[in-house]
Amino acid sequence: MRIDPLLTRSPATGALRPITEDLLAEVYLAPRVAQLCLVDHLGAGAPWSDSFAASPEETARAVEAGLLAVAHAAPMLDPAEIVTDTLPDGRARNHLDALRALWRDIGTLPDPLNTWRHVLQSKAADALEPLPTADPDCSFATPAEASLARTLRTHHGDADALPPPPLAAEGTALRNLQDRIGRHSDQFAPDPSVACHGLRDPREEAEFAAALAQSLLDTGRVDHPGEIGLLAPDGPAYDLPLQDAFDRVGLPLSGLPTEPAQRDQAGELLSLLLVLLKGPAPRTALASLYITPGMPWPAATGRRMARELIDRGWSRLATEQTGAARELLNAMRPCDTPEQLFARLGFIARAVPGADLHPRVAMLKAATGNEIDWPLLHRLAAPTAVAANGHDRFVEGVSLFSEGALPWRPVRQLIVAGMAGRHWPRPPGSDPFFTEGEIAMIRDTGLMLEGRKQKLARGLELFRRQLCAATEGLNLLVPAMDLRGDHLTPSTGLALIAHMLGTDEPADLVRDIRSARPEDWPVATTRPDPVPMGGAPALPKDGLIHIQRGLGTPDRPGIDLLRLRETKDGPLPHSPSRLETLLVSPLGWLLDELGAKELAWAPETLDVMTLGTLMHQVLEEVFPEGTEIPDDATRAARVPKALNSAIRLHARWLIDVAWATERASLLREARDICAAWAGFLRHTGAEVLHNEIALKGEHGGLLLHGKADCLLKLPGGRILVVDHKRSSAGGRRDRMAKGWDLQVALYRAMLERPSEETPLTRLVAEGAQVVTAYHMLRDGTVLSDAGGADVPRVETTGADAAENAMDHLAQVLAEVGAGTVRLNREGDAKAFEKERGIKAYALENPLVAAFTLPGGSYEEDSE
């Protein structure tokens, strides 16, 4: 491709302007062609047929790139110029013949090549106005570009040549780089005209570039901002940081896009709608719809609905919507036919007029047959970023130069950012069709395809020409890492510069800003005072935080930590799981009470809670209350139906074909669990009285609530309260044996001191003996305390499985009730597991970890 732009000078005014595709089309009345789409032309019989069958869109893009490369190598843009007779039989010849046949088949090329071919086939008299060219020769022009320049010169003649740009003074290091980089060169001594600064990442580069520009002005090295140039890589890593940094120092950037890059919001919304209408969709997809701009509900309402959905799996506020919002949410149901799909898409497009969905929906409808091809629709609807357009150039600002073009005006001082990674020059990519050896053979036939060598030479020459924009000084900025934190290697250009300046390694040339004294920096700087203790909080040595709850007044009472979750009807009750958190970490419990937790968005996963919920539901449906234990045949028929029902109720996303393996595994697990439970029920002679029974009561003045998974009536009238746990017995057995199982005692407390009457509490009040137990689903073990010692197939673990837990709970409740919160220590997690048999999940909270004291566990310190 050309480096020098093709320019024309007006015979009347002498003004220069680039010869663009639009200008050529207007002057020569060139017909415009539709966008090239090769998918319909890539049939069987071509070398790429197998790839096309497997991946049509990607193959079509690769074939288009190969076709354009071959077309650029044909001087007159005619497929007849591709002659393969002298090529040996093999891969190169087969692919080149196929590309020539494809070119003849489609009969056209995308613009600007189609416009160029029209000009090449025109006469001088066909032009509506003269286009005399200035400096038409470019040693890096493709054959097609060179032919276009010669044709225009023949039609319109030459204009006055452009004067050469001013360069740095002879003998300076900068001038040596401008003359010799990318060419054979001896080494030369460095001098102040070239400086190389090491920064952390592109954001710090942007801040430094803005500060350096301001420093150049303050020290008088330039007279105004227009004498400073900034050469930066293209892309979002530099675009926004540079603009923000220069705005902060009050320097305008000249050369920013007139229209910045835009998101394809219509494509994003349509892709999201296809995910929802295909179903089952992850909750993050529906939450994303809730917060999409333009929906028929306020933005604040959308954010609240999304938060509720992510936290609980459903949104109460969403169910309360009315009118257009209700109708739109009702339309978010899976579709089975094209008629359903496009009827709902059409309704949504009308309900959200600002999204401009109608043209995109019409495109999808035109590509759909009698059945819905979801992968095709997703490819067609995929959002594509709207590239930045135009250049806002003015005299007074710092000149911003783009990576792939020549600087548009000379400057005194040039700052080059991004001298690491894949920049200056960008490494040429591999050809999608031909190896470098095949390209060399094709070039021998006269078809001058570009290979990696030619592309690299062009990139180096472009970089040399970009450095020629500076007349006095060059500042190279080298980032150590990208914005993701990945370390970067020096660019090819930096390696060449380092070699020319006599250093062995590029790192020897780079002066790391952070390793230099602030007074030696090329820009003014101030460093903030170091944060005490490296940012770690100042924690009390005894590990106790005292919250002064007694400072209140009769009108405004102090804080009661045990009543933080209080409504107008009184404090909310505590669950056993919340109090288990209190045993492990009072701070973790307090944060939970305050709702101070990470609010991350994540799709549904087959985690322990989901698995437990599914298996609970299966057990309820296979063993309904008040019925006989099903025989083997009945159970085998019920389990698949019960699992499907549980999945549709609690985890609809598992219906997707991508989860087929997991569903098969769940079915095997459900069969094993139900078989083991049926054996237990038969062996004990138990009768299922209730499933999912709520428990409410109090302990030590603290309101409690919980839910028993299953209520069994044993022979003799005893009641077995069962809690299903989807784990094996090892960890729970250890906890109960050591007396640290809190849930058993809290269930007993709610039964003995109920705050609400239930069938179970009536049985207890009438004198029924109650035994609490765990059913461990992974291995079928049923664990109980001493009360279940004589129940068949029930394993007891000690006289009192909750003795230590209840004692410690009383101590912690007293502390918390008095406003004292005990912090954890680094050794607590291991100590809890070893001494108590408790997995300290509460300590995984990042805030709890941030306020953890060093040293061993609290028990060890107390000793």
Side-chain angles (χ1 to χ4, degrees):
M1 299 295 179
R2 293 181 65 95
I3 291 180
D4 297 284
L6 197 57
L7 302 174
T8 182
R9 189 182 295 276
S10 170
T13 65
L16 281 172
R17 58 175 171 168
I19 299 179
T20 63
E21 173 196 347
D22 291 338
L23 179 60
L24 285 175
E26 292 173 1
V27 172
Y28 282 88
L29 298 178
R32 294 303 181 99
V33 295
Q35 185 178 2
L36 181 63
C37 182
L38 293 181
V39 174
D40 298 333
H41 298 274
L42 302 183
W48 51 74
S49 297
D50 292 342
S51 299
F52 180 72
S55 184
E57 295 291 333
E58 291 78 3
T59 303
R61 287 196 293 269
V63 172
E64 181 178 355
L67 178 60
L68 294 179
V70 169
H72 269 280
M76 299 305 294
L77 293 173
D78 188 343
E81 297 176 279
I82 304 174
V83 180
T84 61
D85 296 343
T86 59
L87 276 176
D89 291 337
R91 183 180 177 279
R93 182 168 180 171
N94 292 338
H95 279 71
L96 200 55
D97 284 337
L99 287 173
R100 178 179 59 187
L102 175 63
W103 190 354
R104 286 172 174 167
D105 180 36
I106 61 178
T108 186
L109 291 169
D111 288 329
L113 294 182
N114 192 66
T115 301
W116 294 2
R117 184 167 63 176
H118 178 81
V119 174
L120 294 174
Q121 295 172 352
S122 298
K123 300 177 182 178
D126 297 332
L128 300 182
E129 64 175 275
L131 295 176
T133 56
D135 291 341
D137 294 328
C138 177
S139 57
F140 290 91
T142 64
E145 291 173 330
S147 293
L148 176 66
R150 286 195 300 271
T151 299
L152 291 176
R153 184 191 303 173
T154 302
H155 288 181
H156 309 286
D158 290 327
D160 295 336
L162 295 176
L167 299 175
E170 289 281 356
T172 61
L174 176 55
R175 179 59 180 269
N176 286 326
L177 291 179
Q178 293 172 338
D179 290 340
R180 305 177 194 175
I181 190 170
R183 306 169 183 178
H184 178 72
S185 172
D186 296 328
Q187 294 181 347
F188 50 87
D191 63 31
S193 65
V194 177
C196 190
H197 309 289
L199 286 309
R200 184 185 60 213
D201 55 32
R203 238 171 232 290
E204 191 167 271
E205 279 187 279
E207 299 289 346
F208 183 82
L212 181 57
Q214 186 63 58
S215 177
L216 293 172
L217 286 165
D218 293 342
T219 57
R221 296 171 63 187
V222 295
D223 296 327
H224 56 81
E227 294 180 334
I228 303 171
L230 176 60
L231 182 59
D234 297 329
Y238 285 90
D239 290 346
L240 292 179
L242 284 172
Q243 188 171 355
D244 292 343
F246 276 81
D247 282 345
R248 276 192 289 274
V249 300
L251 288 178
L253 271 180
S254 174
L256 290 170
T258 306
E259 299 178 5
Q262 301 288 332
R263 291 170 52 184
D264 181 7
Q265 294 187 346
E268 292 177 8
L269 176 57
L270 190 55
S271 296
L272 183 60
L273 292 173
L274 290 176
V275 171
L276 294 169
L277 294 175
K278 178 186 178 184
R283 68 176 64 172
T284 49
L286 186 55
S288 298
L289 180 73
Y290 288 163
I291 62 173
T292 297
M295 292 292 110
W297 47 72
T301 299
R303 289 192 295 271
R304 182 179 163 192
M305 292 193 303
R307 185 73 268 157
E308 291 177 349
L309 178 65
I310 293 297
D311 287 345
R312 299 198 297 259
W314 67 286
S315 168
R316 182 186 302 276
L317 185 58
T319 63
E320 297 172 353
Q321 297 301 302
T322 59
R326 178 76 268 147
E327 294 176 0
L328 188 148
L329 293 175
N330 288 339
M332 293 296 113
R333 302 191 308 275
C335 300
D336 299 320
T337 66
E339 290 76 16
Q340 289 179 341
L341 173 64
F342 290 106
R344 291 176 188 171
L345 284 176
F347 168 78
I348 296 169
R350 292 188 295 273
V352 192
D356 194 25
L357 289 178
H358 290 289
R360 306 289 280 269
V361 173
M363 177 187 67
L364 298 187
K365 190 172 184 179
T368 302
N370 297 326
E371 296 183 355
I372 303 177
D373 186 345
W374 291 106
L376 173 62
L377 296 183
H378 279 292
R379 287 198 301 270
L380 294 177
T384 56
V386 181
N389 185 36
H391 298 283
D392 184 16
R393 294 172 179 168
F394 47 90
V395 175
E396 296 83 3
V398 173
S399 307
L400 178 63
F401 304 136
S402 62
E403 181 177 6
L406 291 174
W408 44 274
R409 69 176 174 184
V411 293
R412 293 173 63 183
Q413 296 285 338
L414 179 64
I415 303 171
V416 183
M419 291 295 296
R422 300 176 59 85
H423 305 291
W424 321 121
R426 283 185 176 269
S430 300
D431 190 280
F433 278 90
F434 305 110
T435 65
E436 289 302 298
E438 291 169 344
I439 290 175
M441 288 191 298
I442 292 173
R443 289 174 68 88
D444 290 340
T445 68
L447 190 68
M448 305 307 289
L449 276 179
E450 275 193 333
R452 290 179 59 87
K453 179 180 178 180
Q454 290 76 30
K455 294 175 183 177
L456 181 58
R458 179 190 178 276
L460 284 172
E461 175 62 14
L462 175 60
F463 182 49
R464 186 191 72 81
R465 299 278 297 276
Q466 289 169 331
L467 296 184
C468 289
T471 61
E472 294 182 10
L474 174 66
N475 286 276
L476 305 174
L477 309 187
V478 186
M481 60 186 68
D482 60 19
L483 292 179
R484 294 177 301 195
D486 296 333
H487 286 275
L488 300 173
T489 57
S491 67
T492 302
L494 181 61
L496 289 174
I497 293 172
H499 173 74
M500 295 173 67
L501 292 176
T503 58
D504 295 331
E505 296 291 338
D508 298 335
L509 180 66
V510 179
R511 184 186 183 191
D512 187 0
I513 289 297
R514 293 178 176 273
S515 64
R517 298 182 305 170
E519 53 267 26
D520 295 334
W521 285 19
V523 299
T525 179
T526 55
R527 285 188 173 180
D529 294 333
V531 178
M533 302 172 58
L539 302 177
K541 292 182 179 180
D542 61 0
L544 299 178
I545 297 178
H546 301 283
I547 300 175
Q548 301 299 324
R549 58 182 298 250
L551 297 180
T553 64
D555 296 332
R556 299 183 63 184
I559 299 173
D560 185 348
L561 298 184
L562 296 175
R563 299 172 66 95
L564 291 175
R565 295 183 304 114
E566 189 165 7
T567 66
K568 61 181 180 180
D569 298 323
L572 294 176
H574 294 267
S575 66
S577 61
R578 281 185 178 270
L579 295 181
E580 286 179 349
T581 299
L582 182 60
L583 286 185
V584 172
S585 173
L587 178 61
W589 168 86
L590 178 60
L591 294 173
D592 285 347
E593 295 293 290
L594 296 172
K597 59 182 180 179
E598 186 179 11
L599 300 178
W601 279 35
E604 298 87 341
T605 58
L606 203 54
D607 55 14
V608 173
M609 292 191 64
T610 303
L611 289 167
T613 301
L614 293 176
M615 293 306 154
H616 282 47
Q617 183 74 23
V618 169
L619 286 171
E620 287 184 31
E621 295 195 20
V622 175
F623 302 95
E625 57 191 44
T627 62
E628 295 183 357
I629 302 169
D631 56 30
D632 292 347
T634 303
R635 189 183 71 248
R638 285 182 182 177
V639 169
K641 295 179 181 179
L643 180 60
N644 288 335
S645 175
I647 288 174
R648 292 184 178 278
L649 181 63
H650 300 292
R652 288 187 61 85
W653 44 273
L654 274 174
I655 299 172
D656 192 89
V657 65
W659 294 90
T661 301
E662 286 76 8
R663 288 199 307 274
S665 177
L666 285 174
L667 182 58
R668 289 192 296 270
E669 181 180 340
R671 285 171 172 160
D672 293 342
I673 289 172
C674 290
W677 189 236
F680 174 81
L681 295 178
R682 289 196 187 98
H683 194 82
T684 57
E687 174 189 351
V688 180
L689 290 181
H690 294 284
N691 286 314
E692 289 287 333
I693 184 168
L695 302 175
K696 293 184 179 181
E698 63 88 20
H699 169 70
L702 196 67
L703 294 179
L704 305 175
H705 76 104
K707 187 177 291 184
D709 294 326
C710 184
L711 193 64
L712 302 180
K713 183 178 181 181
L714 300 174
R718 283 188 298 176
I719 304 300
L720 186 64
V721 180
V722 179
D723 189 37
H724 300 305
K725 296 290 186 183
R726 193 194 173 275
S727 59
S728 55
R732 183 66 60 171
R733 181 188 293 118
D734 187 35
R735 184 189 303 190
M736 296 176 72
K738 293 175 177 177
W740 281 96
D741 191 85
L742 185 65
Q743 188 168 323
V744 171
L746 293 181
Y747 274 11
R748 189 181 302 118
M750 286 185 280
L751 293 173
E752 295 173 352
R753 295 179 295 278
S755 57
E756 183 177 295
E757 187 179 87
T758 66
L760 178 57
T761 60
R762 284 196 296 270
L763 289 174
V764 175
E766 294 168 2
Q769 182 182 354
V770 175
V771 179
T772 57
Y774 296 108
H775 173 212
M776 314 308 293
L777 303 185
R778 296 294 295 273
D779 54 19
T781 304
V782 178
L783 297 174
S784 174
D785 59 6
D790 59 344
V791 180
R793 293 186 61 173
V794 171
E795 179 183 340
T796 58
T797 58
D800 191 344
E803 179 180 9
N804 294 328
M806 294 299 286
D807 290 344
H808 189 66
L809 178 63
Q811 174 189 342
V812 176
L813 286 176
E815 289 181 348
V816 172
T820 300
V821 176
R822 186 179 299 275
L823 300 178
N824 291 98
R825 296 185 180 270
E826 291 177 347
D828 280 352
K830 291 182 179 179
F832 289 157
E833 188 167 359
K834 179 181 178 181
E835 304 296 334
R836 306 180 183 181
I838 296 176
K839 291 280 189 181
Y841 296 114
L843 301 184
E844 296 176 0
N845 185 327
L847 284 175
V848 174
F851 289 88
T852 296
L853 292 164
S857 66
Y858 174 73
E859 285 81 357
E860 293 175 351
D861 292 348
S862 299
E863 294 175 0

